Amino acid sequence: MEYNEQKEITGKVHSLETFGLVDGPGVRFVIFLQGCHMRCQYCHNPETWNTEGGQAYTARQMFEKACRYRSYWKDNGGITVSGGEPLLQPDFVTQLFALAKEKGIHTALDTSGNPFTFEQLFLDKFNRLMEVTDLFMLDIKNMSEEKHRNLTGWSNRNILQMAEYLSKHDKEMWIRHVLVPGLTDGEKELAELREFVQDLETVSRVEILPYHTLGEFKWEKLEMEYPLKGVRVPTEDEVKQAEEILGRMHL
């Protein structure tokens, strides 16, 4: 897909990280977009929820800014778009990634999958985005729909459908799961996640992300009650046990 200069798309960007080491392979330039519909109880970036915030950039402006740091990436890094939720701004991400692919730059999308739908308007845009995205990093928060709704306020059905759709279309995925004691560490749900992932054809990595409380102060700053106040972080043994249940995979 070629970059279309006839229609400059503007995106709402929350923040940038110029030397990301955990957001895809190699060193990444990470773009955190503004706006997210999910209300995850352990969210460490609640300030990204508001879709009206952020700084405006055109795709070209954002790409040129990213390329200033290309010397960091060497041969195995690239650009990652995260959030918030990047699928709320698919046209902007597609145009940005089209520019990247013209220069041979690896592209990764870090998403919860929440906006995914088979409605044709969205699906047409998603298909175009797939063409210029090398890696999808999909956060699956819980296999139980009831627990997923309690945790995020939303169903997980379309998220699982998105994973299946990506697999069907031969798109590489990393599956990520945040481990929260008492909420997302149930052996039954972890085993169900493993079975689900095993049925996907294009998953190259499964990651357990230990819950942390580093974002709690942001909730307080926004004068919001932190839902998981008092919930402890998982121990190393608990993380290792979850990884064993999932059958950890690496590139």
Side-chain angles (χ1 to χ4, degrees), residues 101-118:
K101 296 318 298 174
E102 286 181 0
K103 298 297 183 182
I105 297 171
H106 185 277
T107 57
L109 189 78
D110 184 6
T111 175
S112 72
N114 171 254
F116 183 81
T117 174
F118 286 112

Side-chain angles (χ1 to χ4, degrees), residues 3 9 11 64 69 79 87 117 138 144 163 166 178 181 193-194 207 224 235 244:
Y3 171 72
I9 304 297
E64 290 176 350
Y69 301 89
I79 296 174
L87 289 182
T117 174
L138 179 60
S144 162
L166 289 170
V178 179
L193 178 57
R194 177 175 181 171
E207 293 183 321
M224 297 164 55
T235 65
E244 289 174 354

Side-chain angles (χ1 to χ4, degrees), residues 35-40 48-49 51 84-85 88 112 114-115 152-154:
C36 184
H37 292 162
M38 295 183 86
R39 295 295 180 262
C40 300
T48 67
W49 289 353
T51 57
E85 175 48 65
L88 291 179
S112 72
N114 171 254
T152 72
W154 292 79

Side-chain angles (χ1 to χ4, degrees), residues 10-156:
T10 299
K12 296 178 179 178
V13 177
H14 172 263
S15 56
L16 305 170
E17 184 176 354
T18 59
F19 201 86
L21 297 175
V22 295
D23 300 280
V27 177
R28 316 294 299 184
F29 184 90
V30 188
I31 303 161
F32 297 92
L33 298 188
Q34 187 73 31
C36 184
H37 292 162
M38 295 183 86
R39 295 295 180 262
C40 300
Q41 293 183 19
Y42 55 72
C43 181
H44 59 275
N45 288 320
E47 72 278 14
T48 67
W49 289 353
N50 184 0
T51 57
E52 299 304 316
Q55 184 174 350
Y57 286 90
T58 67
R60 173 70 69 179
Q61 288 171 335
M62 192 75 267
F63 177 71
E64 290 176 350
K65 191 176 187 70
C67 282
R68 297 174 193 169
Y69 301 89
R70 192 172 183 178
S71 60
Y72 294 169
W73 311 339
K74 299 184 179 179
D75 296 328
N76 65 340
I79 296 174
T80 296
V81 176
S82 185
E85 175 48 65
L87 289 182
L88 291 179
Q89 302 185 55
D91 296 328
F92 173 74
V93 181
T94 298
Q95 197 169 69
L96 172 65
F97 280 2
L99 285 165
K101 296 318 298 174
E102 286 181 0
K103 298 297 183 182
I105 297 171
H106 185 277
T107 57
L109 189 78
D110 184 6
T111 175
S112 72
N114 171 254
F116 183 81
T117 174
F118 286 112
E119 293 180 5
Q120 201 59 49
L121 179 60
F122 176 87
L123 197 61
D124 287 345
K125 293 183 177 185
F126 188 77
N127 287 338
R128 289 193 290 272
L129 176 58
M130 281 200 307
E131 293 180 29
V132 290
T133 304
D134 294 311
L135 171 66
F136 285 83
M137 296 184 291
L138 179 60
D139 186 2
I140 297 182
K141 303 175 188 301
N142 204 300
M143 289 298 292
S144 162
E145 182 174 14
E146 180 182 0
K147 291 182 179 180
H148 193 278
R149 283 188 180 277
N150 290 337
L151 184 65
T152 72
W154 292 79
S155 170
N156 65 355

Side-chain angles (χ1 to χ4, degrees), residues 190-227:
L190 289 172
E192 289 176 354
L193 178 57
R194 177 175 181 171
E195 291 176 7
F196 178 74
V197 171
Q198 286 177 334
D199 287 336
L200 302 173
E201 300 290 338
T202 58
V203 175
S204 59
R205 186 181 181 104
V206 177
E207 293 183 321
I208 289 292
L209 305 179
Y211 163 71
H212 61 74
T213 59
L214 299 178
E216 185 173 347
F217 79 95
K218 296 182 181 179
W219 290 69
E220 296 172 353
K221 186 176 180 180
L222 295 170
E223 298 183 345
M224 297 164 55
E225 182 178 354
Y226 187 60

